[in-house]
Amino acid sequence: MELKRVVVTGLGALTPVGNTVAETWENLVKGVSGAGPITHFDASKFKTQFACEVKNFNAAEFIDRKEARKMDLYAQYAIVAAKEAIADSAMDLEQVDKNKIGVIFGVGIGGIRTFEEEMIGYAGTKDTIGPKFNPFFIPKMIADIASGHISIMYGFHGPNFTTTSACASSSNAIADAFNYIRLGKANVIVAGGAEAAISPGGVGGFNAMHALSTRNDDPTHASRPFSASRDGFIMAEGAGCLILEELEHAKARGAKIYAELVGAGLSADAHHLTASHPEGLGAKLVMLNALEDAGMNPEDIDYINVHGTSTPVGDVSEVKAIKEVFGDHAYKLNISSTKSMTGHLLGAAGAVEALVSVLAVKNDIVPPTINHEEGDNDENIDYNLNFTFGTAQKREIRAALSNTFGFGGHNACVIMKKYAE
């Protein structure tokens, strides 16, 4: 069976550095940090008091107020990103076969804010008749509901589900969408991820694991991937969405094509619940799997958008894996961690970073890794590699690879390249 080709025809983003794709990309290229004090709740007693929050968001501008009340914030974010991507694709929804359009969205945690609100309300009730819960509690909270809302909103009857693999969730969503389309099971899939876990439970839980930076006096410089002084990641929220489309379907309707999705790899560390393999074995395998799937050699890649969370162990293991996979070519690559600016969007990270990789390929621009200071060097990291520290770099990008790794040892990698007939 000949596999079909898959292209990207629409993009949508709602991130800590921009409420649209254009604003997000502009600020990433400029090296703008999205970090600041937490406003979603009083974090004054927490070890970490800052995060990368979405700014100036009003769901009523995008979603009917009555419907928005039925949705957790993560689902609202998902809908906004999906709306932008669908509009950007310029699909005529009256003409396309909606039975062949699906929605696959990745979510790492889901409706934790709704869960906390309902359970705090339950714990504080003095009603002797019985506990009172919002009738929308369950459908607001469950992790699959964002993809459900999007399909209902547009009447898409194709494959519809959610992937959950911690911080690899939305890369898994993209990989699944890629495979459904190239196998002929769908013409178009709205693929992406969303997360809104900046809450007492989210921040408190990650603090208890010593996973978050505690640089409360300097939030905008706290996410510093590959620097010796890195002390953990910064929690972030938002959503990213890509319209993935079968090539001939896209050409038939005259769609603009951003890039071609050519490969996806998956692997497991099989090592530890939360720590990556110290030698990067799972990271190495997932990149090799993606390259094999794409039918590409390591030398065909020009840019890697790394997982690069700014954690002591994770950054080192990913660098080891890159050197193992790419050999001498590793020194000709550009590498950057956009988490230095967006923070870590957890289940939405893969979608946002795949979107960034698409734009890097389209525009021949590598966004930077910010916050690295001269002399702040880790003896375990090879600084002869080009981490694109400080400022964006113009260069030809034939193909870009995007890595995401999640708690549980879940690894996912996707490859985008310039579209050519």
Side-chain angles (χ1 to χ4, degrees):
M1 175 182 177
E2 184 178 354
L3 296 176
K4 298 178 183 296
R5 293 172 66 184
V6 181
V7 292
V8 180
T9 58
L11 300 173
L14 179 63
T15 76
V17 296
N19 289 13
T20 63
V21 170
E23 186 182 11
T24 294
W25 177 247
E26 180 182 4
N27 283 326
L28 289 177
V29 172
K30 288 179 178 177
V32 174
S33 170
I38 290 171
T39 65
H40 287 323
F41 67 96
D42 181 2
S44 59
K45 295 182 180 179
F46 286 70
K47 293 178 183 177
T48 297
Q49 298 165 12
F50 63 95
C52 287
E53 296 179 338
V54 170
K55 284 86 173 168
N56 304 313
F57 176 73
N58 180 4
E61 295 178 8
F62 307 94
I63 308 167
D64 177 80
R65 289 180 183 274
K66 184 177 179 181
E67 292 302 309
R69 287 197 295 270
K70 301 175 186 177
M71 302 173 190
D72 186 88
L73 186 60
Y74 93 89
Q76 295 176 8
Y77 288 168
I79 287 170
V80 171
K83 277 192 163 190
E84 183 184 15
I86 292 166
D88 184 45
S89 75
M91 276 191 294
D92 183 343
L93 297 180
E94 298 302 316
Q95 297 297 320
V96 293
D97 181 0
K98 293 184 179 180
N99 291 336
K100 298 284 281 184
I101 301 179
V103 184
I104 305 176
F105 249 67
V107 179
I109 295 177
I112 188 172
R113 291 163 59 96
T114 293
F115 182 81
E116 289 177 9
E117 290 166 3
E118 290 292 322
M119 295 313 296
I120 289 169
Y122 165 67
T125 185
K126 301 191 185 306
D127 193 333
T128 57
I129 297 173
K132 288 190 171 75
F133 286 92
N134 187 318
F136 294 105
F137 171 33
I138 298 301
K140 282 179 71 175
M141 177 193 70
I142 52 180
D144 73 298
I145 209 68
S147 61
H149 278 299
I150 295 165
S151 69
I152 291 167
M153 182 173 290
Y154 289 97
F156 296 153
H157 294 282
N160 184 278
F161 59 91
T162 290
T163 52
T164 298
S165 50
C167 304
S169 295
S170 52
S171 291
N172 273 116
I174 292 167
D176 280 0
F178 175 51
N179 285 323
Y180 273 95
I181 294 170
R182 65 178 176 170
L183 289 171
K185 306 298 183 183
N187 293 331
V188 180
I189 293 187
V190 182
E195 203 78 270
I198 300 173
S199 69
V203 175
F206 281 117
N207 266 161
M209 297 171 62
H210 305 288
L212 300 181
S213 170
T214 56
R215 201 180 291 266
N216 294 311
D217 59 339
D218 192 13
T220 59
H221 295 94
S223 184
R224 43 183 59 214
F226 311 112
S227 296
S229 57
R230 64 192 184 277
D231 68 331
F233 70 82
I234 303 179
M235 282 190 71
E237 61 178 0
C241 183
L242 294 79
I243 304 302
L244 302 182
E245 188 165 355
E246 193 272 322
L247 174 60
E248 296 305 319
H249 187 272
K251 287 166 64 177
R253 66 179 187 85
K256 71 175 179 298
I257 295 174
Y258 283 99
E260 184 173 1
L261 174 56
V262 291
L266 306 174
S267 78
D269 276 2
H271 168 68
H272 188 273
L273 283 177
T274 58
S276 58
H277 191 285
E279 298 303 315
L281 295 185
K284 173 185 174 182
L285 181 59
V286 78
M287 287 186 279
L288 289 172
N289 288 343
L291 288 165
E292 180 181 16
D293 190 48
M296 297 174 76
N297 297 314
E299 294 75 23
D300 297 323
I301 303 297
D302 293 315
Y303 169 51
I304 301 177
N305 187 296
V306 290
H307 188 57
T309 58
S310 187
T311 56
V313 174
D315 288 7
V316 172
S317 62
E318 189 169 11
V319 169
K320 288 180 178 179
I322 289 169
K323 292 178 68 176
E324 283 277 327
V325 171
F326 290 92
D328 290 342
H329 184 65
Y331 299 94
K332 300 176 184 177
L333 293 165
N334 273 78
I335 297 164
S336 75
S337 171
T338 45
K339 288 186 181 76
S340 61
M341 296 171 280
T342 65
H344 191 352
L345 281 90
L346 308 177
V352 171
E353 290 160 16
L355 179 152
V356 170
S357 299
V358 167
L359 292 174
V361 167
K362 179 179 183 293
N363 297 304
D364 286 322
I365 298 175
V366 178
T369 304
I370 67 169
N371 296 331
H372 184 77
E373 299 169 357
E374 188 175 353
D376 189 9
N377 295 335
D378 184 332
E379 63 181 10
N380 296 304
I381 291 177
D382 184 350
Y383 291 99
N384 291 311
L385 297 170
N386 185 358
F387 291 101
T388 322
F389 285 134
T391 57
Q393 183 175 329
K394 284 279 294 181
R395 66 164 292 171
E396 181 187 15
I397 304 175
R398 299 164 300 164
L401 178 153
S402 179
N403 282 333
T404 48
F405 312 138
F407 284 176
H410 311 299
N411 306 310
C413 174
V414 295
I415 299 176
M416 309 290 183
K417 77 172 186 179
K418 277 187 164 54
Y419 166 68
E421 285 287 349

